[in-house]
Amino acid sequence: MPKVTQQHMDARRKQILTAARRCFLRDGFHSTSMQDLFAEARLSAGAVYRHFTSKDEVILAIAEENMRDVLDITLAVATNRPGRSLGAVVAELLNVIRAKSVEEDLAGLAVLVWGEAMRNRSLAGKLDQLMGRIHANLVILVRDHQETGGLPTNVTAEAIASTMLAVLPGYILQVALLDPAAVAEMPYAVRALWPGPAGER
């Protein structure tokens, strides 16, 4: 039997998740069965179960992928500190969410995942971990701005980071439910709300 390469395994996993997204967006989590996933992916049960042992595992994987780009951006900005205003950072996060929503309906899936997390403790725990990591990255960024005089120090970095983070779910919900024009100016608005010192982008 020929050896299965990692590249082949990664491609197969992507095929399954892409099919699952289509199913979930069309029919919702509860109305989608594993048999529906097999049919949508055009794969045997064995091929799918080689990657995911249950529908919950598929949902968890999609939830993680949905937040990975947001997490990566906050980590890159927090660790590299390229001298950008908080508004510019949040605006970039919103732009990533919008782009990913056009490509693979990140916003619609996020809303489905939030609802599922209300009854699925494993999923709720995973979302809590991911949000915690994003929050921690934003805290680093806020503290950097507090140290350079760009933000007041009479409010904790944690509270400011939490306020910044609160913008994301509201934006995601609007992207999922409203006309794109309704949220088109939000990246510009957060830049205006959180400008940096003169010279910052």
Side-chain angles (χ1 to χ4, degrees):
M1 178 180 289
K3 183 178 180 180
V4 178
T5 66
Q6 186 60 48
Q7 184 178 11
H8 174 82
M9 294 287 286
D10 292 344
R12 189 65 86 214
R13 185 177 190 276
K14 182 177 180 181
Q15 179 182 350
I16 295 165
L17 291 178
T18 298
R21 286 189 185 92
R22 290 195 299 266
C23 287
F24 294 151
L25 286 167
R26 183 177 63 236
D27 302 319
F29 289 136
H30 294 287
S31 295
T32 299
S33 66
M34 287 300 284
Q35 286 71 29
D36 294 328
L37 295 183
F38 306 153
E40 188 74 25
R42 298 183 179 180
L43 294 170
S44 67
V48 174
Y49 283 126
R50 184 172 188 178
H51 295 270
F52 303 100
T53 61
S54 67
K55 187 170 68 173
D56 280 356
E57 279 196 8
V58 178
I59 295 170
L60 281 170
I62 287 175
E64 284 190 278
E65 286 199 350
N66 257 19
M67 299 187 72
R68 188 171 299 141
D69 286 332
V70 176
L71 178 60
D72 288 347
I73 287 176
T74 58
L75 178 61
V77 173
T79 54
N80 296 334
R81 302 186 181 187
R84 304 178 67 200
S85 70
L86 295 182
V89 173
V90 177
E92 185 173 349
L93 293 175
L94 300 188
N95 286 330
V96 167
I97 290 167
R98 182 181 60 190
K100 296 291 285 184
S101 293
V102 170
E103 292 172 12
E104 52 195 51
D105 204 350
L106 178 150
L109 279 166
V111 173
L112 286 176
V113 167
W114 297 341
E116 180 67 10
M118 297 298 292
R119 58 162 291 280
N120 184 325
R121 302 186 91 178
S122 295
L123 181 58
K126 180 63 70 174
L127 288 179
D128 184 59
Q129 290 175 15
L130 290 168
M131 293 293 282
R133 290 165 66 189
I134 293 173
H135 182 266
N137 293 338
L138 291 175
V139 167
I140 293 171
L141 184 66
V142 169
R143 284 178 178 156
D144 187 49
H145 280 71
Q146 287 178 322
E147 289 170 4
T148 57
L151 283 173
T153 56
N154 62 334
V155 180
T156 66
E158 288 76 12
I160 295 173
S162 293
T163 302
M164 293 172 64
L165 191 55
V167 172
L168 300 183
Y171 179 74
I172 289 170
L173 184 63
Q174 291 183 74
V175 169
L177 300 179
L178 305 180
D179 185 277
V183 296
E185 294 188 19
M186 285 186 66
Y188 303 102
V190 294
R191 286 176 183 270
L193 285 171
W194 289 306
E200 278 196 351
R201 294 178 285 115

